[in-house]
Amino acid sequence: MGKAPVEIRVGGIDDRAPHRNAGVHGDAGDPPVVAHLMCMKLFTIGYEGATQAEVIARLKTAGVETLVDVRAVAASRRAGFSKTILGESLKAEGIDYLHLRGLGTPKAGRDAARKGRVAEMRAIFADHLAKPQAQMEYERLKALAGEKRVALLCFEADHAGCHRAVLAERLAAEDGVMVVNL
């Protein structure tokens, strides 16, 4: 779309600008969803070092409607971050939960990230994204991001060392969404 992605890193935001802005239009001939995505924000969040209550509070402050869990394994030793309990806790706070396992990084990518080998993790994840399940789930994520305020969840506090940054960068490059790292 030619629009450069913008990245903002915040600890909490109070930006409730409507993401369904009927007055925003793309270039002539752009489908309505393109114009819509060009004004969209995509949030990312990691729960490393945070409590479940802190994560949910940041999501609510940002006005997130759906948390998309992009962990390959949606289990955690950290209290409150395993799939079932996290989903139930989010629902109680008015936030939908969706686990897209196919958008999780393979074990080799997780191992590389843990060792600080971010370039290796990105290469492994790029290969993974070429697989049919990952492509299908990426399209599902893309469609959902066009309809709701979405946040991508993974473990790492620093998005730069996490595969969720790759997903966010791809959506920004393809659709001009603005990425906000909570």
Side-chain angles (χ1 to χ4, degrees), residues 72-149:
V73 180
S76 180
R77 287 177 263 178
R78 292 194 50 84
F81 290 102
S82 289
K83 180 178 180 174
T84 302
I85 189 132
L86 180 59
E88 290 170 358
S89 299
L90 288 164
K91 184 177 182 179
E93 295 293 333
I95 299 172
D96 294 330
Y97 173 87
L98 175 64
H99 180 219
L100 294 180
R101 182 177 187 196
L103 294 181
T105 194
K107 183 176 183 339
R110 294 191 306 272
D111 291 344
R114 274 197 278 290
K115 294 174 182 172
R117 299 191 312 250
V118 176
E120 180 182 342
M121 177 273 298
R122 284 176 167 266
I124 291 167
F125 189 59
D127 289 343
H128 174 73
L129 283 177
K131 295 181 179 176
Q133 181 185 4
Q135 289 177 358
M136 184 175 61
E137 291 194 358
Y138 177 77
E139 290 303 319
R140 187 171 178 195
L141 169 63
K142 190 174 177 178
L144 185 62
E147 298 168 5
K148 295 185 172 195
R149 286 177 75 105

Side-chain angles (χ1 to χ4, degrees), residues 27-86:
D27 295 333
D30 279 349
V33 73
V34 172
H36 171 71
L37 285 173
M38 288 177 10
C39 66
M40 285 289 301
K41 289 182 181 176
L42 176 72
F43 300 89
T44 82
I45 191 165
Y47 62 90
E48 181 179 20
T51 66
Q52 184 197 70
E54 291 167 340
V55 168
I56 291 174
R58 291 190 333 223
L59 295 170
K60 288 178 73 172
T61 298
V64 169
E65 296 172 283
T66 302
L67 180 75
V68 177
D69 188 338
V70 293
R71 297 176 292 173
V73 180
S76 180
R77 287 177 263 178
R78 292 194 50 84
F81 290 102
S82 289
K83 180 178 180 174
T84 302
I85 189 132
L86 180 59

